[in-house]
């Protein structure tokens, strides 16, 4: 069994890079917050608030599988600080879109994580 190569990047530096890069990949008006996961040093917590009046807030956990690949898990979706059912089609389309943007961000930062 081969050893998985995880990024040898300080989590604080990685969070800063994600904070700088992810907003450039999101839809205009969407806002994001990125923080390091306190329990898992290879994971980030990402919150994305949708633009417009819908008021959806998506919480994701993004875990580095290796220096190139991330696993993205939806934690929950909220509106007005209440968790809502994320199974409706509109929410699922937004989740798919945001997961794609998160993967794009990981690819954009590949040079940083592949040291």
């Amino acid at each position: 069994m081969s050893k998985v190569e995880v990024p040898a990047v300080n989590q604080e530096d990685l969070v800063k890079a994600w904070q700088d890069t992810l907003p450039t990949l999101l839809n205009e008006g969407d806002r994001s917050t990125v923080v390091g996961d306190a329990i898992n040093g290879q994971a980030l917590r990402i919150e994305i608030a949708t633009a417009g009046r819908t008021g959806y807030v998506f919480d994701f956990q993004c875990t580095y599988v290796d220096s190139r690949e991330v696993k993205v898990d939806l934690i929950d979706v909220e509106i007005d600080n209440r968790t809502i059912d994320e199974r409706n089609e509109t929410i699922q389309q937004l989740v798919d879109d945001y997961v794609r943007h998160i993967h794009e961000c990981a690819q954009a930062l590949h040079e940083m994580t592949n040291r």
Side-chain angles (χ1 to χ4, degrees):
M1 181 177 258
S2 64
K3 185 174 187 270
V4 174
E5 285 291 320
V6 292
V9 178
N10 173 304
Q11 189 182 49
E12 190 175 305
D13 294 339
L14 195 57
V15 166
K16 173 81 171 94
W18 274 80
Q19 288 173 336
D20 293 343
T21 306
L22 185 58
T24 68
L25 301 170
L26 294 177
N27 302 320
E28 188 173 331
D30 289 349
R31 296 180 325 274
S32 63
T33 305
V34 180
V35 297
D37 187 295
I39 296 170
N40 181 349
Q42 298 303 319
L44 304 170
R45 300 297 293 236
I46 300 170
E47 180 181 282
I48 300 174
T50 59
R53 293 181 287 177
T54 58
Y56 294 127
V57 178
F58 295 80
D59 291 314
F60 296 94
Q61 180 173 7
C62 174
T63 307
Y64 273 87
V65 177
D66 61 30
S67 65
R68 291 178 300 235
E69 185 180 345
V70 292
K71 178 178 178 264
V72 181
D73 295 301
L74 175 67
I75 304 301
D76 72 359
V77 181
E78 297 178 353
I79 190 166
D80 295 327
N81 294 318
R82 290 187 332 265
T83 299
I84 61 171
D85 184 356
E86 69 269 1
R87 294 176 292 189
N88 85 47
E89 187 176 333
T90 302
I91 299 292
Q92 281 302 306
Q93 288 174 349
L94 287 167
V95 167
D96 291 345
D97 190 44
Y98 290 136
V99 167
R100 183 175 47 80
H101 291 310
I102 291 169
H103 281 284
E104 287 172 359
C105 189
Q107 286 301 312
L109 297 174
H110 177 247
E111 202 168 292
M112 177 186 193
T113 60
N114 192 31
R115 294 182 186 169

